Amino acid sequence: MWAHTPLVRPLKTRAPKAISKDLMVPATYAGSLQSILGRRERLFMTADVTSAAPEAGFTVPFFFLRHGETTYNRDRRFQGQRDTDLSPRGREQAAAAAVALADAPISRIVSSSLSRARITAETVAAKHGLPVETDDALMECHLGIHQGEPYAEWMPDYWRGAYVPEGGETFWTFRDRVLPAMARAAAQPGTLIVAHGGLWYAARSLITMAPDIPVMPNCLPLHVSPREAHWEVEILGGANLERTVQGFGPSSDRPGA
C-alpha cells in the first residue's frame, strides 16, 4: 500500500495576504522551507494570485517533481532553456526522490525534454520500471540573452509580465505554453510530471494552492489534487530526503534558474 509522510506541523510565516500563513510541511522540511519563505518577497513573489479557473483544465490528481540541482543552480546563474547538467548534489536529490516515490501509484512519467528534468525523471522511472515520455512544451521559460548570466533583480518584473528578455519569451507566452502541457500530461491518472520551478510558479499565478508553496525547491515530491477552487498539495517523502533537501538555499530556489 502506498504511504506518504503525513503533514505533521504548521509552519508559521510572515506572509503577504495572498500566501497561506499556516503552511503544513513534514517536520524534516520545516527549517529549509522557513528559510526559503523568509526570502520570497525579495526574490520574485510579486505577481497577483487569482482563484483557480475552470479553463485551467486540471481534474485528475497527479504527482509533480522539479529537477535536481544543476551546476547553474549551484553557481547562481539563470539557465532558462539552456541544457545544463545536474550537479553531484542534484543527482543525490534525484536518487532520494526516487526512493521517496518508490511506493507511489505512478503509472506514467512525463518530463520536460531538458536533460536536467529528463535525468531526474529517469532516476525515478527506474524504481517503477517505466519509460519516460518527454514534451518540449514542458521546458522552462526562455530567458533570452540572460541565460547563463548571474542571478539579477529583474526577475520580479518578468513574473509580472512587465519585462521581456531580449530573445526570450514573455511570461504570458510561457504560461500559455506550459499549463496546457501540464493539463494534457496530468489527464491520465497516476502521472508524474518532472519539470521546472517556473511551471509551478506559472500554475500558482492562476490557481490557488492549499497549502501554498511559492518557491519550488529542487526534487521536492508533491501529490496534487485539483479541486473546484484550488489545488490540494501534499509534500511526499520525509526522512529519506532530509539529507539532500535540508539546504535548499538561494542556489536552487528560483524559477527560471
Side-chain angles (χ1 to χ4, degrees):
M1 176 179 292
W2 174 51
H4 57 78
T5 299
L7 304 180
V8 294
R9 80 186 192 203
L11 174 61
K12 301 292 185 180
T13 68
R14 293 178 295 173
K17 62 183 179 180
I19 306 301
S20 169
K21 294 186 178 181
D22 294 307
L23 177 61
M24 299 296 293
V25 301
T28 52
Y29 289 104
S32 302
L33 288 177
Q34 180 66 72
S35 174
I36 291 171
L37 293 169
R39 291 194 307 275
R40 63 185 173 213
E41 290 182 77
R42 177 175 61 82
L43 289 174
F44 50 78
M45 307 314 299
T46 55
D48 292 335
V49 179
T50 63
S51 297
E55 60 269 20
F58 295 86
T59 59
V60 178
F62 63 95
F63 298 88
F64 183 87
L65 183 69
R66 185 188 175 197
H67 60 79
E69 181 195 73
T70 68
T71 55
Y72 272 40
N73 292 152
R74 181 194 63 200
D75 298 339
R76 298 176 56 79
R77 292 184 175 275
F78 291 118
Q79 52 198 342
Q81 291 186 11
R82 186 166 289 186
D83 205 10
T84 54
D85 295 325
L86 292 181
S87 67
R89 181 169 180 259
R91 292 180 182 275
E92 292 176 359
Q93 290 173 332
V99 171
L101 291 168
D103 294 327
I106 295 170
S107 58
R108 180 177 179 235
I109 299 177
V110 183
S111 170
S112 159
S113 53
L114 292 172
S115 61
R116 58 188 183 268
R118 178 179 49 77
I119 292 171
T120 301
E122 289 171 348
T123 304
V124 176
K127 292 284 187 180
H128 293 267
L130 293 171
V132 173
E133 304 172 36
T134 59
D135 186 347
D136 289 347
L138 293 174
M139 291 195 297
E140 184 62 282
C141 51
H142 198 297
L143 298 178
I145 62 173
H146 297 303
Q147 295 186 161
E149 292 182 354
Y151 288 173
E153 296 305 318
W154 51 264
M155 282 303 290
D157 289 335
Y158 179 81
W159 296 121
R160 287 195 299 268
Y163 175 72
V164 183
E166 181 181 340
E169 64 184 329
T170 70
F171 172 68
W172 313 117
T173 300
F174 168 63
R175 191 174 75 175
D176 289 347
R177 167 170 62 82
V178 299
L179 288 186
M182 289 179 67
R184 288 194 303 271
Q188 178 174 318
T191 295
L192 166 66
I193 298 173
V194 184
H196 308 275
L199 278 72
W200 188 258
Y201 187 68
R204 69 174 295 277
S205 73
L206 182 65
I207 300 167
T208 300
M209 309 292 183
D212 190 21
I213 304 176
V215 181
M216 181 53 58
N218 296 107
C219 273
L220 182 67
L222 300 178
H223 184 255
V224 181
S225 298
R227 304 303 185 201
E228 183 175 352
H230 66 281
W231 283 1
E232 290 183 4
V233 180
E234 290 183 280
I235 301 172
L236 309 178
N240 55 0
L241 288 184
E242 181 176 7
R243 289 185 300 172
T244 56
V245 301
Q246 63 185 355
F248 289 143
S251 69
S252 58
D253 58 17
R254 290 196 176 196

